[in-house]
Amino acid sequence: MSDTTAPWRSSPETVVHLTAGGVSLVLDAEGPGLPSVLHWGTALTADIDLHPALLRPPRVDNLIDAPVGFSIVPEAYTGWFGAPGLTGVRTDRTGWSTRFALRGLERRDQSVRIHAADDAAQLELSCTIELTPEGVAVLDAEVRNTGASDYLLSSFAPGLALPSCAAEVHDLSGRWSMERIPQRHELTVGAHRREVRRGRTGAETPLVLMVGEVGHDFAHGQVWGVHLGWSGNSSYAAERTMEGHRRLSAGELLIDGEVVLAPGDAYAPPTQFFSWGVGLDELSGRYHRYIRNRPSHVSSPRPITLNVWEAVYFDQSLEKLTALATAAAEVGVERFVLDDGWFGGRRDPTRGLGDWVVSTEVWPEGLRPLIEHVHRLGMEFGIWVEPEMINPDSDLARAHPEWILRAGAGLPPESRHQQALNLSAPDCFAHVRDALEALIAENGISYLKWDHNRDLIEAGDGRGAPAVRAQTLAAYRLMADLKTRFPDLEIESCSSGGARVDLGVLAHADRVWASDTIDPLERQRIQRWTSLLLPPELIGSHIGDERAHTTGRVHTLDFRALTSVFAHSGLELDLTALTAGERDAVAGWITILKEVRHLVATGRMVRRADDEDALWVTGAIAEDAIFSVVCMSRGIEAPGARIPLPGLDVDARYRVEVLGPVPDIRGDGVPWWQDGIVMTGKALGVIGLPFPQIQPEQGVLLRAVRQR
Ligand code: GLA
């Protein structure tokens, strides 16, 4: 992180050059309008000596006579025909087209703060861009109503310009239990706009909307991306205008009337995180380093977790769960998480949500006997909650039907038999907070798996006003309040699996549950693309049953365990149903997961796929390195080619050896398979190693130890 204690100083610069982490961002700040981007990407030297006037767009027939280029908040008066960066109107119908005048600049380290005002529209605008030491451009903005009438804000999304070689859109989509599926296509004239109106980040979140050079991959081709740190409605856009301009932005998608600025009021859109790189690994690596350097980032070795959901579902009992806890401790588990079903009348998904009191029916002696057992075994205890939700069949809904989010008279359609609570109502917020505080304090709970299992539909505050924004902020406040009261508490962000994965919630949470599918084949892809933004130690990944509950596919323990390596690893299966031999095998893998977790949590991630996308290499590289080589499917080429291990220190020598059991992969004819091999990082990256045939849905874990 930068030295945020340095004071802001006003700056006379007309060209602002921010440079850090191998990236430069250069702004034309000559005025009289808002600054625009002259360059974002490759680091430039300090003496760039640019003259903004010479770099402005030329006059072109039949366009405006004196084009000025579009700014970080594009405005129509400049000849920008894409979506304006700020839209809204006053109640007297003025203020819908702005002409912001630059009023001043301030600088601090590699950050700039821009002040502008439009006296006619009676709006003030400020925008801060920090180019962090890792090279991520963090953009925060604010618009203030300085007039005497209300200003109805429709949208506010500053953004950055892209060069014309940014020609291929690349982002993610997905659905429940198949989150974060990549999609890519040409950036044609118009807008590639990704709007999520689910009141949560969404399984189909773009996560990072990128535009890159055509054919960019993990290692090659420049690519520019933006992530929005927000868990409510969002709108991401990559635009290309007929004039040849390109722009990348992401903002909160506001419902009509959601933000009405009274005189003096201000609105700050969610933070945008921009990253650039040559190849996706570099773009992603900047995000990882930035996230890891946040003061709130988890630092302890990530405890091996057992979550009981797929082990018992709603079939909870002291006897069953103490036995499971004993078995968990025996194989090396360090955190035991009790999932849904422990509270109120919640014996199935139709009832009880909102009643955060321990069920006396299931837990006649309360949770203490289980928790004490877990603690005695040396494990932490965590518990599942879904604080923003309510089942209509619950004591809370009967006592406070008015606390349910709704737009008008009728309730929204139910989803998973549930509705959402209006946390923006102070008494509702206080009720939920007090219930959670009591639960945590009385039971010595150190970890919450915080779920959010439905999309918000017609999410109004009950008095008719839209409330997605207020709800999102209230959820953040609730997490923040709990963390203030319980500083050691960790929170996992879960949302029907992986539908709340963003840096907004991760300002408060400590990991995400990437998906409800723990089928390792699906998980390989989900985790690979989730890790585009998040370092692996923030991505929960569990070894499930041999037969995956969501897909019915059957996988070896080795493949299931290997898949949880590049993640915050854990288990989610009924260990008590395994044979002693199977439990030993699980314990063996847990020993390996513990051995490599520090490297996973600190290493630089590299990823490669062959042309067929059939063979995947994933690595974490620090002083030493680990790699997984996984066969996702049978490619058209017969196996036998050498597989490069990329990203190692080219001058160092490494001993590469197989780590962990690989009973299904015979090393016949591969001399290094049994005893390892010493090679330089350069040779490993360029020439690679011959591999034995790896069957589909199998893989191998390798360790590369630097030789001294
Ligand atoms: C969601 C979560 C699951 C589990 C269930 C419990 O679907 O993603 O992991 O906690 O809720 O109802």
Side-chain angles (χ1 to χ4, degrees):
M1 301 290 285
S2 63
D3 175 11
T4 46
T5 54
W8 286 99
R9 293 182 201 289
S10 86
S11 162
E13 291 161 300
T14 55
V15 174
V16 174
H17 180 193
L18 308 178
T19 185
V23 178
S24 278
L25 177 63
V26 185
L27 300 174
D28 166 1
E30 198 170 44
L34 286 166
S36 54
V37 174
L38 291 173
H39 167 76
W40 167 33
T42 309
L44 304 170
T45 52
D47 55 346
I48 46 172
D49 198 19
L50 290 178
H51 303 284
L54 303 180
L55 295 166
R56 303 240 165 91
R59 186 180 171 282
V60 174
D61 286 349
N62 210 38
L63 292 177
I64 65 168
D65 294 337
V68 291
F70 69 96
S71 78
I72 49 172
V73 183
E75 295 167 288
Y77 88 94
T78 63
W80 166 259
F81 292 96
L86 183 144
T87 57
V89 67
R90 290 195 171 279
T91 40
D92 64 3
R93 304 203 297 162
T94 64
W96 54 271
S97 187
T98 59
R99 288 184 176 218
F100 281 101
L102 185 61
R103 288 287 158 82
L105 289 182
E106 289 176 285
R107 283 292 301 269
R108 178 171 77 183
D109 303 325
Q110 295 305 312
S111 302
V112 61
R113 187 183 281 168
I114 297 152
H115 298 280
D118 179 337
D119 293 337
Q122 297 179 298
L123 295 171
E124 271 177 14
L125 184 152
S126 67
C127 179
T128 305
I129 306 175
E130 177 192 5
L131 190 63
T132 69
E134 305 82 11
V136 175
V138 179
L139 193 155
D140 284 297
E142 187 183 273
V143 59
R144 184 176 298 281
N145 177 8
T146 55
S149 59
D150 286 355
Y151 182 80
L152 278 55
L153 184 72
S154 298
S155 67
F156 183 26
L160 299 183
L162 302 175
S164 54
C165 63
E168 188 178 21
V169 175
H170 191 173
D171 66 0
L172 307 178
S173 180
R175 61 175 169 88
W176 174 75
S177 86
M178 268 190 81
E179 295 85 345
R180 287 170 280 288
I181 312 286
Q183 52 181 18
R184 53 199 291 175
H185 56 78
E186 184 188 348
L187 177 61
T188 49
V189 169
H192 172 71
R193 194 173 292 283
R194 296 288 313 279
E195 296 186 338
V196 181
R197 299 171 186 276
R198 295 175 187 274
R200 59 174 165 174
T201 323
E204 82 276 39
T205 177
L207 192 71
V208 182
L209 173 58
M210 300 174 289
V211 187
E213 292 179 317
V214 174
H216 65 267
D217 61 20
F218 286 108
H220 310 99
Q222 295 188 82
V223 58
W224 293 260
V226 63
H227 166 76
L228 187 72
W230 186 240
S231 314
N233 291 334
S234 64
S235 176
Y236 284 72
E239 288 174 88
R240 176 179 166 194
T241 69
M242 182 266 283
E243 290 78 16
H245 299 315
R246 286 149 212 256
R247 174 176 194 265
L248 196 57
S249 68
E252 181 179 5
L253 193 153
L254 295 172
I255 303 170
D256 289 342
E258 193 158 33
V259 174
V260 178
L261 297 179
D265 278 2
Y267 165 81
T271 303
Q272 293 181 77
F273 300 88
F274 292 89
S275 184
W276 164 86
V278 177
L280 297 166
D281 279 348
E282 201 178 291
L283 170 144
S284 167
R286 292 204 160 88
Y287 280 133
H288 289 190
R289 288 196 297 282
Y290 169 73
I291 291 166
R292 284 174 171 166
N293 287 337
R294 297 172 311 159
S296 61
H297 190 67
V298 290
S299 56
S300 57
R302 299 290 68 218
I304 303 289
T305 298
L306 182 133
N307 182 294
V308 309
W309 180 240
E310 289 202 0
V312 299
Y313 291 105
F314 285 104
D315 189 14
Q316 297 186 356
S317 71
L318 179 61
E319 192 192 355
K320 191 164 192 137
L321 288 166
T322 46
L324 185 55
T326 304
E330 278 167 12
V331 296
V333 167
E334 296 158 316
R335 175 182 282 163
F336 184 89
V337 180
L338 182 65
D339 210 281
D340 194 358
W342 57 267
F343 54 90
R346 183 82 167 174
R347 300 295 79 75
D348 60 55
T350 65
R351 298 176 277 156
L353 214 49
D355 299 336
W356 302 115
V357 283
V358 179
S359 162
T360 46
E361 188 189 336
V362 185
W363 298 97
E365 300 162 64
L367 289 175
R368 293 269 5 144
L370 174 66
I371 295 175
E372 279 163 14
H373 180 69
V374 166
H375 286 166
R376 262 197 309 276
L377 292 167
M379 297 186 291
E380 293 176 36
F381 185 83
I383 203 162
W384 181 95
V385 288
E386 197 177 1
E388 293 137 281
M389 296 294 161
I390 184 166
N391 282 128
D393 184 359
S394 64
D395 292 343
L396 187 65
R398 282 181 281 276
H400 290 287
E402 76 285 6
W403 282 355
I404 296 178
L405 279 176
R406 78 191 76 189
L411 288 174
E414 285 181 19
S415 178
R416 281 176 68 139
H417 313 281
Q418 64 194 60
Q419 296 285 5
L421 279 170
N422 178 14
L423 284 187
S424 66
D427 46 354
C428 175
F429 180 94
H431 170 86
V432 177
R433 184 202 53 214
D434 293 350
L436 294 176
E437 283 190 357
L439 172 73
I440 296 167
E442 282 162 21
N443 294 291
I445 288 167
S446 56
Y447 183 81
L448 293 181
K449 176 179 175 186
W450 187 302
D451 220 329
H452 181 291
N453 272 328
R454 66 159 293 169
D455 295 321
L456 302 188
I457 298 175
E458 288 198 314
D461 66 359
R463 296 186 305 276
V468 172
R469 174 174 174 73
Q471 179 77 357
T472 309
L473 293 172
Y476 291 165
R477 207 168 57 245
L478 185 54
M479 291 182 191
D481 283 2
L482 292 177
K483 285 226 167 166
T484 304
R485 167 93 196 266
F486 306 100
D488 295 331
L489 182 71
E490 281 193 22
I491 296 177
E492 168 175 22
S493 171
C494 177
S495 184
S496 320
R500 188 148 70 179
V501 173
D502 63 80
L503 293 184
V505 75
L506 280 164
H508 309 285
D510 304 281
R511 80 167 205 174
V512 300
W513 182 227
S515 180
D516 270 348
T517 187
I518 45 181
D519 171 333
L521 184 67
E522 308 278 337
R523 271 302 185 117
Q524 284 282 342
R525 188 187 52 239
I526 292 167
Q527 291 166 203
R528 167 164 279 210
W529 290 103
T530 304
S531 77
L532 184 68
L533 177 72
L534 299 187
E537 67 274 18
L538 293 186
I539 303 172
S541 175
H542 297 165
I543 300 169
D545 271 338
E546 185 174 34
R547 184 181 172 85
H549 294 199
T550 46
T551 63
R553 284 197 193 99
V554 172
H555 290 107
T556 61
L557 170 67
D558 299 333
F559 188 53
R560 285 176 279 149
L562 180 61
T563 300
S564 79
V565 166
F566 290 94
H568 177 178
S569 324
L571 306 178
E572 191 159 334
L573 77 174
D574 185 1
L575 286 168
T576 64
L578 301 188
T579 63
E582 288 167 337
R583 284 209 293 269
D584 284 349
V586 171
W589 266 106
I590 289 183
T591 305
I592 293 171
L593 293 170
K594 288 178 178 172
E595 224 175 288
V596 299
R597 65 183 160 187
H598 179 70
L599 192 46
V600 170
T602 54
R604 173 170 47 87
M605 247 188 129
V606 291
R607 315 151 185 91
R608 293 293 181 272
D610 64 4
D611 286 348
E612 302 289 315
D613 218 22
L615 206 62
W616 283 12
V617 176
T618 308
I621 302 171
E623 184 67 9
D624 298 334
I626 53 163
F627 293 92
S628 73
V629 179
V630 164
C631 180
M632 295 292 287
S633 60
R634 281 156 63 86
I636 196 162
E637 290 176 12
R642 284 186 298 262
I643 300 173
L645 301 178
L648 294 165
D649 180 346
V650 290
D651 298 322
R653 291 167 68 75
Y654 296 87
R655 163 169 289 283
V656 180
E657 60 202 10
V658 175
L659 189 60
V662 282
D664 303 302
I665 303 172
R666 297 190 325 272
D668 302 354
V670 178
W672 66 272
W673 197 249
Q674 295 307 329
D675 301 321
I677 186 170
V678 176
M679 270 168 75
T680 63
K682 181 109 185 175
L684 286 164
V686 174
I687 300 172
L689 288 174
F691 267 72
Q693 180 165 331
I694 303 177
Q695 301 283 12
E697 300 168 39
Q698 294 285 356
V700 62
L701 186 62
L702 302 175
R703 173 167 38 203
V705 181
R706 191 184 283 255
Q707 305 296 288
R708 271 156 252 281

